Amino acid sequence: MSQFTIKDDEVDIVIGALQPDLTSFMEQWRPFFSRFHLIIVQDPDLKGELKIPEGFNLNLYTKSDIDKVVGSSSNAISFSGYSCRYFGYLMSRNKYIISIDDDCIPAKNSNGEPIDAISQHIINLTTPATPFFFNTLYDPFCEGADFVRGYPFSLRSGVECGLSCGLWLNLADYDAPTQSLKPDLKNSRYVDAVLTVPARTMLPVSGINISFNNELVGPALLPAFRLAKEGKVRWETVEDIWTGMCVKVVCDHLRLGVKSGLPYVWRQERGNAVESLKKEWEGVKLMEDVVPFFQSVRLSESAVTAEDCVVEIASSVKEHLGPLNPTFDRAAETMVEWIKLWKRVRAN
């Protein structure tokens, strides 16, 4: 298996804290988090001090820290709700970031054993991805698998993995209309597989359980697309879906891979789909324009970094989507502001 080693001090685990007491969450993850440095970002709208158990190597960022770092950009860039995780990405100085939301706990595999999501994300990032030819046995670098007959030998070395998208059991990532119509629909299927998403294929990334190479694609994971009535919970935001399409375009252009599948986490209930329906419906409609745009956008040869790519995507958003809805204009402007902020923070 072609795999390189990630040292523990090369990893940051980023947690966006939307609840005041993280004790239960942290204790359940302790066996898997304790080796690594943690970045916890408190939702700036959450008042009071967080309850965090002792024994972890961590940095905690609050609203005052966000205001101090972001400054005048705060009007354009919002870190409210789940978006607070992006501030953790901004502040990380490590090569790899693993991000797990505070409403998730370790899942169990088909043998009833707790899943080490952190190790699986590291495996995904350290083994090559194969975006340019699909392997019908999924990830050929997984234990017990290989390339199938007919797979070109010239492509078998693969490319570096930029983004790993984990899944979750229990509460599936349905939109508000689907969850409202099927309130009892849960995800109980544990599929022991990882696959590389093919090049030029979009996917709805969720920031709930992901990892990525911060040096290669970090700037492309950004808080830019906000609805007029944006809320905090999963049904009231499509920001991470927009972000996922941005980072997928960047990965395709830079010849990096995106993986989906393992590892699983167990996601607990948060939010009300019926109450959120009105807030999300605007985003559901806008996706009908967003997806074809990202499927067709192409970047120039001069875009050689993630920062370059995001600026070019923003320009294209303004030109092609801006006339359709002011939400797109705001997203384009915020993407440019984010890259300026990203560069400024890293220059210090």
Side-chain angles (χ1 to χ4, degrees), residues 230-306:
E230 183 91 358
K232 287 180 174 293
V233 297
R234 68 191 184 102
W235 291 297
E236 298 172 4
T237 173
V238 291
E239 181 178 69
D240 51 354
I241 295 175
W242 174 276
T243 298
M245 293 193 200
C246 287
V247 74
K248 185 57 166 65
V249 167
V250 171
C251 285
D252 287 346
H253 178 74
L254 299 179
R255 297 183 67 82
L256 302 169
V258 173
K259 294 183 182 180
S260 177
L262 302 178
Y264 282 85
V265 296
W266 181 274
R267 191 153 190 232
Q268 302 174 96
E269 192 76 42
R270 177 183 284 166
N272 184 293
V274 176
E275 292 178 4
S276 299
L277 187 55
K278 291 182 180 179
K279 291 183 180 179
E280 192 197 50
W281 183 241
E282 180 192 359
V284 172
K285 292 185 292 183
L286 290 177
M287 283 302 117
E288 301 304 315
D289 295 316
V290 168
V291 174
F293 166 77
F294 280 109
Q295 287 174 326
S296 62
V297 69
R298 296 293 182 269
L299 306 180
S300 71
E301 291 184 4
S302 61
V304 295
T305 66

Side-chain angles (χ1 to χ4, degrees), residues 73-87:
S73 300
S74 59
N75 291 330
I77 302 172
S78 172
F79 294 103
S80 175
Y82 282 130
S83 297
C84 65
R85 65 165 80 98
Y86 295 101
F87 186 78

